[in-house]
Amino acid sequence: MTAAVVSRQYACAKCPLRARAIFREFTAAELDYISTFKTGELTVDKGATVLVEGAHSAHLFTVLQGWGFRYKLLPDGRRQILNYVMPGDLIGLQGSLMEEMRHSVEALSPMLLCVFERDQLQDLYRNYPGLGYDITWLAAREEQMLDENLLSVGRRTALERAAYLIAFLHHRAVTVGIGTRGIFAIPVTQQHMADTLGLSLVHTNKTIRKLINAKLIRWRDGGCQVLAFEKLTEMAGWSPDLEEKRPLL
Amino acid sequence: MTAAVVSRQYACAKCPLRARAIFREFTAAELDYISTFKTGELTVDKGATVLVEGAHSAHLFTVLQGWGFRYKLLPDGRRQILNYVMPGDLIGLQGSLMEEMRHSVEALSPMLLCVFERDQLQDLYRNYPGLGYDITWLAAREEQMLDENLLSVGRRTALERAAYLIAFLHHRAVTVGIGTRGIFAIPVTQQHMADTLGLSLVHTNKTIRKLINAKLIRWRDGGCQVLAFEKLTEMAGWSPDLEEKRPLL
DNA sequence: CGCGGTTTTGAGAATCCTCAAAACCAGTGG
DNA sequence: CCACTGGTTTTGAGGATTCTCAAAACCGCG
């Protein structure tokens, strides 16, 4: 058993995630509506596939807890990780809007998801245009992240790429409030890193080792921990955008 | 003079682009509204910058004619082309939704653009939720293309990548109705290709030469012409999705 | 203790890069 | 009509990066 639907835990208004500073305030009416839109919660085991390429998903999800990643495969099995998902992110939008999903999503850790019905999406746009706008905003944000990733894979050196990726994930996690109590681990293996960076496992390992030896990161608790965020961003030639408040569906 | 605003040419209902098979039907009311939303047209010279990274654009554009590309730069000038734009594509959405643009857009050929006011976007969502939905759909489509591009740059070999890129652009162009009268040229230089593929100019040239020697493409009229589309897609391990009808703003 | 998954190391080979220069080509001005 | 110019494509060559193959080391867990 890799996934299980659980009954509603709490109303959206009381969602602990929503209280975090990065998310914008919703009106009471919006919260009520979202509560209707939400049909349940879903827990997913680490390693389980949340959404699979080719399917036409009947659901949309908001991540409440845990990490996952989006990826695509070539016919012969080569894998490219496109982006990571973490609390507050919306997944499955493509599968809801288009005929079918063009990528898959897998859980990196146990995940807790909020489930929405695809069929209610039209209704949402009609009754709460502001929320529709929010969904577009979230899609534009995803595009922004992909742009930066593509720049990285296409034009940064292996070392810059690794530094960028780690800094990027760390920054997102901190922004959304993961590991506010000190150092936390990004729950990936070096194989995941390799498939994100567009490098082989062996070369990824050698590259990451340089970052470890330079004491910019360490590898512990089944993942990657950041020790010197600034040095990573500098190495990558990247500066994080200042984060505006964002919607949470 | 690289860009000039022109007075309104014709109502959206009579837009010649809209008549093409790939675009979905709009209701008379929608067309009326879009006509209001549209504030003018803009011509842009080949090589001119349409939108620049860092700016907070007051405008949104729909491409009516011509080709362009979106790109990002690293601090030292390395360039990654993220995607191409052609008739029917919406550009500048990011700059309208977020604080500022995270990429630039440049014209590959003379372009004709439809201009919309960013400030009216909220109004559009409120009054025509279906159009809001359309905009989200377009954003999701852009994401889909980026996903495939990232897969390509990250995991395909140089030859596969080149084959994919050319097949991809050719397919998009055909779908939107460019060059329906026989063979047409994709208006790029090999430098553009290189910056899209994440390769050096020299290696790109050698790779493209293989495709030319195999008679899959030819290089003529200042661009790339496709001679054997199927062979390209097969070489890339890619099959184009079937194209649903899409909105045109 | 044994097992499977993950990280590490070594080594030779393929890919891709940089540097440098030549060839080609379309447009400009004499 | 031709020389000149700037942009683009092509070629060669040596070198750096990255890959594959293979095996060892490590590590948490049953």
Side-chain angles (χ1 to χ4, degrees):
Chain A
M1 184 65 134
T2 58
V5 180
V6 210
S7 58
R8 272 289 284 301
Q9 299 294 315
Y10 33 60
C12 295
K14 295 198 189 146
C15 180
L17 191 57
R18 193 173 295 280
R20 302 196 186 165
I22 186 65
F23 298 107
R24 80 159 172 83
E25 290 278 338
F26 273 50
T27 66
E30 282 174 330
L31 284 175
D32 274 357
Y33 182 74
I34 301 239
S35 276
T36 325
F37 191 37
K38 173 175 175 178
T39 63
E41 289 178 7
L42 183 70
T43 47
V44 179
D45 286 348
K46 172 177 170 172
T49 299
V50 182
L51 290 166
V52 62
E53 184 167 352
H56 177 97
S57 172
H59 302 292
L60 265 180
F61 306 97
T62 288
V63 179
L64 293 181
Q65 292 170 23
W67 297 63
F69 62 94
R70 299 198 305 116
Y71 67 97
K72 281 177 82 79
L73 296 175
L74 285 175
D76 66 359
R78 280 173 284 175
R79 179 176 73 171
Q80 177 66 36
I81 295 182
L82 305 165
N83 198 3
Y84 292 79
V85 297
M86 55 188 84
D89 292 340
L90 189 64
I91 62 184
L93 183 61
Q94 253 186 43
S96 296
L97 294 177
M98 331 290 273
E99 292 300 325
E100 56 178 55
M101 294 278 298
R102 308 305 308 174
H103 63 259
S104 304
V105 179
E106 182 178 321
L108 273 175
S109 71
M111 296 181 83
L112 176 60
L113 307 173
C114 229
V115 184
F116 304 111
E117 292 298 318
R118 157 199 152 72
D119 294 336
Q120 289 187 256
L121 208 49
Q122 310 262 5
D123 190 63
L124 178 145
Y125 273 80
R126 210 161 23 236
N127 295 316
Y128 285 84
L131 296 181
Y133 189 90
D134 283 340
I135 291 180
T136 309
W137 190 94
L138 287 170
R141 174 170 169 268
E142 178 70 22
E143 186 192 312
Q144 218 173 66
M145 291 191 280
L146 282 170
D147 284 351
E148 189 75 45
N149 266 266
L150 188 49
L151 170 64
S152 201
V153 175
R155 285 302 182 215
R156 280 192 247 249
T157 66
L159 193 60
E160 290 168 346
R161 248 182 261 189
Y164 163 72
L165 175 60
I166 294 168
F168 168 68
L169 291 176
H170 184 265
H171 178 252
R172 278 181 67 188
V174 167
T175 305
V176 83
I178 291 171
T180 39
R181 299 156 293 210
I183 292 182
F184 62 97
I186 300 168
V188 290
T189 66
Q190 296 188 4
Q191 183 68 66
H192 291 121
M193 293 251 128
D195 287 349
T196 313
L197 301 174
L199 299 171
S200 72
L201 176 59
V202 172
H203 198 248
T204 298
N205 176 268
K206 286 169 182 165
T207 304
I208 285 178
R209 187 117 288 279
K210 287 183 192 167
L211 295 177
I212 295 173
N213 290 340
K215 301 211 190 304
L216 303 186
I217 63 170
R218 66 184 177 197
W219 211 264
R220 194 178 288 188
D221 296 336
C224 173
Q225 300 182 352
V226 171
L227 301 177
F229 178 73
E230 299 292 342
K231 293 223 180 97
L232 288 173
T233 58
E234 185 190 354
M235 179 175 275
W238 176 65
S239 47
D241 322 351
L242 61 105
E243 298 278 345
E244 328 171 28
K245 294 242 174 188
R246 48 183 198 244
L248 173 67
L249 284 196
Chain B
M1 183 64 132
T2 59
V5 180
V6 210
S7 58
R8 272 291 282 301
Q9 299 293 316
Y10 34 59
C12 295
K14 295 196 189 143
C15 179
L17 191 58
R18 192 173 295 280
R20 303 198 184 162
I22 185 66
F23 298 107
R24 80 160 172 82
E25 290 278 339
F26 272 50
T27 66
E30 281 175 330
L31 284 175
D32 273 356
Y33 183 74
I34 300 237
S35 275
T36 325
F37 192 36
K38 173 175 175 178
T39 61
E41 289 178 5
L42 183 69
T43 47
V44 179
D45 287 348
K46 171 175 170 175
T49 299
V50 181
L51 291 166
V52 62
E53 184 166 353
H56 176 102
S57 172
H59 302 291
L60 266 179
F61 306 98
T62 288
V63 180
L64 294 181
Q65 293 170 22
W67 298 62
F69 62 93
R70 299 199 303 117
Y71 67 96
K72 281 177 81 81
L73 297 176
L74 284 175
D76 67 358
R78 279 173 284 175
R79 179 175 75 171
Q80 178 65 37
I81 294 183
L82 305 164
N83 198 5
Y84 292 79
V85 298
M86 54 187 85
D89 292 340
L90 188 64
I91 62 183
L93 184 60
Q94 254 186 43
S96 296
L97 295 175
M98 331 291 273
E99 292 299 326
E100 56 178 55
M101 295 277 299
R102 308 306 307 175
H103 63 259
S104 305
V105 179
E106 182 177 321
L108 273 174
S109 70
M111 296 180 83
L112 178 60
L113 306 172
C114 227
V115 184
F116 304 112
E117 293 296 321
R118 156 200 153 72
D119 293 336
Q120 289 187 256
L121 208 50
Q122 309 263 3
D123 190 63
L124 178 146
Y125 274 80
R126 211 163 20 237
N127 295 318
Y128 285 84
L131 295 181
Y133 189 90
D134 283 340
I135 291 180
T136 309
W137 190 95
L138 288 170
R141 173 170 169 268
E142 178 69 22
E143 185 192 314
Q144 219 173 64
M145 292 191 278
L146 281 170
D147 284 351
E148 189 75 44
N149 265 263
L150 187 49
L151 170 64
S152 202
V153 174
R155 285 301 181 217
R156 281 193 247 249
T157 66
L159 192 61
E160 291 168 345
R161 246 182 263 187
Y164 163 71
L165 175 60
I166 294 168
F168 168 69
L169 291 177
H170 184 265
H171 177 252
R172 279 182 66 187
V174 168
T175 304
V176 84
I178 291 171
T180 38
R181 300 156 293 208
I183 291 182
F184 62 96
I186 300 167
V188 291
T189 66
Q190 296 189 4
Q191 183 67 67
H192 291 121
M193 294 252 127
D195 286 348
T196 313
L197 301 173
L199 299 171
S200 71
L201 175 59
V202 172
H203 197 248
T204 298
N205 175 268
K206 286 168 183 166
T207 304
I208 286 177
R209 187 116 288 278
K210 287 183 190 167
L211 295 177
I212 294 172
N213 291 340
K215 301 207 189 305
L216 303 186
I217 63 170
R218 67 183 176 198
W219 212 264
R220 194 178 287 188
D221 297 335
C224 172
Q225 300 181 352
V226 171
L227 300 177
F229 178 73
E230 298 291 341
K231 294 225 180 92
L232 288 173
T233 58
E234 186 189 353
M235 179 176 274
W238 176 66
S239 47
D241 321 351
L242 61 106
E243 298 278 345
E244 329 171 25
K245 294 240 176 190
R246 49 182 198 245
L248 173 67
L249 283 197

